[in-house]
Amino acid sequence: MSHSVFDIPPPGRLPLRVELFVLAHNDSGAPLAHLPSLSLGLAGAILTSLVAPIERVRVVGDAAIVVRRQLTGDPVTDWALTFLARHPRALSVREAVRLLGEHAYDKVTAGLIAGGLVEQVTRRRMLGRTVAYPPTDPAMIHRVRGRLRYGVLGYDDPDPQTDALAGLLRALRLESELYLDGYDTDLRGRLRQMLTRAGQHTPATEKIICSVENLIGETAVSVYR
């Protein structure tokens, strides 16, 4: 089956990579995380969506192996799938995240612009210019944040995508974007519990997102070397 805009997320939902992009930018469209780290997070979201709900990539041991090469019609999914399928050898999960992360931010952003979900805004500054990507529907960020907040607080029974989103937000250390300052439980611990539950549903999901977190940690350290 072909999907002209996005691969299959849960009903009424945007793909995982889009939800992460929305939460990782402020209302004005400026990124809230270091771009190399954010690109790794988006790469993890893309790879997670390739292992479930439709298994196009299977994680066997530590290897990410393409098992279904049929294109989906979603340019970002198809870019990642083609990249992995054409690689001369099976990549480890860590390698797949790292290599996809070299271009994931640009690919996801281009897809969102083409799909009319964000617009590109260039602002001139004294020392150059900045580029931001505000959503065309400002309520989108509130819907995404609200769904994740309800899952964290236990008001809803989160689906696996929400649990995976919790793990990715934790990996990027952006839990403050949930605005749960008064939460009386360890928020990072709660997000980790949600990721563990995602791993119980699809073990590869937890492996991918843990690789994302490790790579982000290494990227942050390298900035100060």
Side-chain angles (χ1 to χ4, degrees):
M1 183 180 292
S2 177
H3 308 281
S4 59
V5 180
F6 297 118
D7 205 2
I8 303 176
R13 298 285 297 280
L14 294 166
L16 178 58
R17 66 178 190 265
V18 179
E19 292 191 333
L20 181 61
F21 186 99
V22 166
L23 284 183
H25 290 74
N26 64 22
D27 291 346
S28 299
L32 295 168
H34 186 229
L35 281 185
S37 297
L38 181 49
S39 198
L40 287 168
L42 292 169
I46 294 167
L47 188 56
T48 296
S49 297
L50 288 175
V51 301
I54 298 175
E55 189 184 54
R56 294 186 167 88
V57 172
R58 181 176 300 161
V59 175
V60 180
D62 194 42
I65 301 170
V66 176
V67 294
R68 183 180 299 198
R69 298 180 179 228
Q70 181 181 4
L71 298 182
T72 67
D74 171 7
V76 177
T77 297
D78 291 345
W79 158 71
L81 192 61
T82 301
F83 173 83
L84 295 174
R86 289 180 177 175
H87 204 273
R89 61 177 175 80
L91 296 169
S92 69
V93 169
R94 177 186 172 88
E95 289 175 319
V97 171
R98 180 177 61 81
L99 292 174
L100 291 172
E102 293 178 1
H103 303 287
Y105 186 83
D106 292 340
K107 294 288 186 180
V108 171
T109 302
L112 291 174
I113 293 171
L117 294 178
V118 303
E119 58 181 344
Q120 180 174 311
V121 176
T122 302
R123 300 183 177 93
R124 296 190 177 278
R125 306 291 189 194
M126 289 185 63
L127 299 177
R129 63 176 189 168
T130 61
V131 180
Y133 302 98
T136 53
D137 174 11
M140 181 167 58
I141 187 170
H142 304 295
R143 289 194 296 269
V144 174
R145 181 187 290 125
R147 184 179 292 112
L148 184 51
R149 280 168 53 97
Y150 268 56
V152 169
L153 295 171
Y155 297 153
D156 278 343
D157 184 17
D159 58 29
Q161 178 168 311
T162 299
D163 284 338
L165 180 61
L168 288 165
L169 200 72
R170 182 182 186 277
L172 285 163
R173 305 193 73 87
L174 290 178
E175 59 271 13
S176 62
E177 295 309 305
L178 294 177
Y179 300 148
L180 290 172
D181 295 343
Y183 187 58
D184 60 2
T185 304
D186 173 25
L187 179 54
R188 286 186 59 77
R190 173 60 178 150
L191 295 177
R192 186 64 180 85
Q193 290 174 359
M194 294 174 72
L195 174 58
T196 298
R197 185 169 54 201
Q200 292 169 350
H201 183 272
T202 307
T205 294
E206 187 172 9
K207 181 171 285 191
I208 291 166
I209 295 174
C210 286
S211 293
V212 169
E213 185 165 7
N214 290 337
L215 285 165
I216 287 173
E218 293 173 11
T219 298
V221 169
S222 69
V223 170
Y224 298 101
R225 287 177 178 169

